[in-house]
Amino acid sequence: MKIAVVGPGALGCLIAASLKGRTKEEIWLLDEFPERAKKIARDGIKVDGASGTGVTRIDVTANARDIGQCDLVILCVKSYSTEEACKAIKGIVSEKTGILTLQNGIGNIQILNDHFCPDRIMAGVTNHGSTLIGAGHVKHAGKGETTIGRADGRVLGAIRDVAGVLTRAGFETRVSKDIDSVIWSKALINVGINALTAVTRLRNGALIEHEECRQVLRGAVQEAVKVVKRKRVKLSYDDPIQKVESVCRATASNVSSMLQDVLNKQRTEIDFINGAIIRHARALNIATPVNEVLTNLVKTIESSYEKEARG
Ligand code: PAF
């Protein structure tokens, strides 16, 4: 199988290095920045942590033409770059290419559907924890399950093959018939945790140690639950508040991905997390004051990095 991983962030690097190191497939990494692509091609991808420590040499390019048509394209770019990534991968996607999004948040499948035939689109969620230390250098904080599925719920040979390849690469993967449930179930966790860590600059565990903060977390999740209920999406857990709080405890020392973005003065995925809840809620006439405040605060932080006061 010829596989292109798109986006050399923490997850993209980890998956590309794992696929290259542990399977016999032809693996490429597609980067949008030529200089960074050259650096990663020269130095390889360095992974420290749960899957061991090592450097994996890999084919990296910023020019999709170098890759040619693939059997599988795995999208790992930030959600706000999905639209751009769709344009960039046009040349490596044929009518037989599978496209798998493992991105965060709600809305990526819809963007992919606008660009490619929905029949070839797969989506998934991975619970592997990873942090980018520098270009091509990732810390693999912990292993977790990966779940993929087709939007139409069909379990065909092709998706089983993809799950098989990922599992061989060390990403234990199962196939779900209800990928919407998997994506919304993960998104609700991010709705409760990510923006609140970005605003307070607390680690995940601290969010529930402060009663006022815990109330905000609960408010954001409760609004999202109303949306999920009206959309008739079935969550993979019974008690969403309890679930989000248990993730806070289980990942207590994590600096969430959104807090990492804010600390690195980067754009965040707020539009695809709390922002997506607001959009879906608006269409259903559901009020989302907590998610609106969180979204507005994170957007203010994003647009004012240069103006931050220093002590
Ligand atoms: O985005 C993240 O950081 C993670 O999805 C989670 C589960 C919030 C843990 O930090």
Side-chain angles (χ1 to χ4, degrees):
M1 225 191 254
K2 182 165 165 184
I3 304 174
V5 177
V6 184
L11 183 63
C13 280
L14 183 62
I15 290 195
S18 307
L19 284 165
K20 177 76 187 178
R22 293 169 185 229
T23 72
K24 296 203 173 348
E25 317 301 336
E26 179 182 348
I27 310 300
W28 281 87
L29 181 60
L30 181 62
D31 188 351
E32 63 176 317
F33 298 119
E35 283 311 311
R36 187 172 57 189
K38 262 190 223 153
K39 184 196 177 301
I40 303 176
R42 189 187 61 226
D43 300 344
I45 295 174
K46 185 171 182 217
V47 178
D48 297 321
S51 47
T53 295
V55 175
T56 307
R57 306 269 160 210
I58 187 160
D59 289 318
V60 191
T61 181
N63 186 350
R65 272 195 295 262
D66 294 340
I67 303 178
Q69 292 191 337
C70 293
D71 300 298
L72 176 65
V73 175
I74 305 179
L75 273 198
C76 295
V77 297
K78 293 280 189 183
S79 302
Y80 51 76
S81 297
T82 306
E83 189 75 44
E84 275 309 302
C86 285
K87 292 176 195 152
I89 63 173
K90 285 257 150 82
I92 60 174
V93 171
S94 73
E95 69 279 1
K96 291 200 191 110
T97 308
I99 306 168
L100 170 66
T101 157
L102 289 177
Q103 299 161 276
N104 273 337
I106 307 277
N108 293 301
I109 299 181
Q110 288 68 21
I111 298 174
L112 283 167
N113 276 342
D114 291 342
H115 287 265
F116 303 103
C117 167
D119 262 8
R120 282 176 290 134
I121 295 166
M122 297 167 267
V125 155
T126 182
N127 291 323
H128 281 256
S130 52
T131 311
L132 198 66
I133 313 277
H137 183 187
V138 52
K139 183 172 165 221
H140 189 186
K143 295 187 180 183
E145 202 184 50
T146 301
T147 309
I148 61 173
R150 286 166 50 103
D152 64 11
R154 286 193 289 166
V155 180
L156 304 173
I159 199 155
R160 287 218 182 85
D161 291 346
V162 174
V165 168
L166 289 172
T167 299
R168 284 201 296 287
F171 281 69
E172 189 77 43
T173 302
R174 74 179 183 89
V175 178
S176 167
K177 287 186 184 154
D178 189 355
I179 200 64
D180 256 1
S181 157
V182 175
I183 289 175
W184 280 89
S185 299
K186 172 80 191 295
L188 251 63
I189 292 168
N190 296 124
V191 163
I193 297 177
N194 292 34
L196 205 43
T197 56
V199 170
T200 60
R201 307 210 169 197
L202 292 172
R203 288 174 191 264
N204 297 356
L207 295 181
I208 52 172
E209 286 166 10
H210 303 269
E211 200 40 48
E212 296 82 358
C213 189
R214 190 179 206 164
Q215 274 170 33
V216 180
L217 180 152
R218 290 180 170 194
V221 175
Q222 270 153 359
E223 290 173 6
V225 169
K226 285 188 196 155
V227 173
V228 160
K229 281 201 172 132
R230 288 278 296 283
K231 291 183 79 65
R232 296 180 189 280
V233 174
K234 195 181 167 339
L235 294 175
S236 59
Y237 36 78
D238 292 333
D239 186 333
I241 303 277
Q242 222 176 61
K243 177 67 187 180
V244 179
E245 294 190 356
S246 77
V247 173
C248 287
R249 278 186 286 273
T251 62
S253 61
N254 272 32
V255 175
S256 82
S257 53
M258 197 175 286
L259 178 51
Q260 286 178 45
D261 289 336
V262 163
L263 294 174
N264 292 323
K265 300 194 187 309
Q266 300 282 327
R267 188 170 169 189
T268 74
E269 296 185 294
I270 190 75
D271 285 332
F272 290 78
I273 301 177
N274 306 74
I277 298 302
I278 299 171
R279 282 194 302 282
H280 282 272
R282 217 167 262 157
L284 297 163
N285 254 321
I286 296 169
T288 52
V290 179
N291 281 288
E292 276 165 41
V293 170
L294 285 171
T295 300
N296 287 340
L297 287 175
V298 171
K299 281 180 168 287
T300 306
I301 294 171
E302 273 181 348
S303 61
S304 63
Y305 288 134
E306 299 320 318
K307 294 184 190 158
E308 278 175 13
R310 276 168 243 284

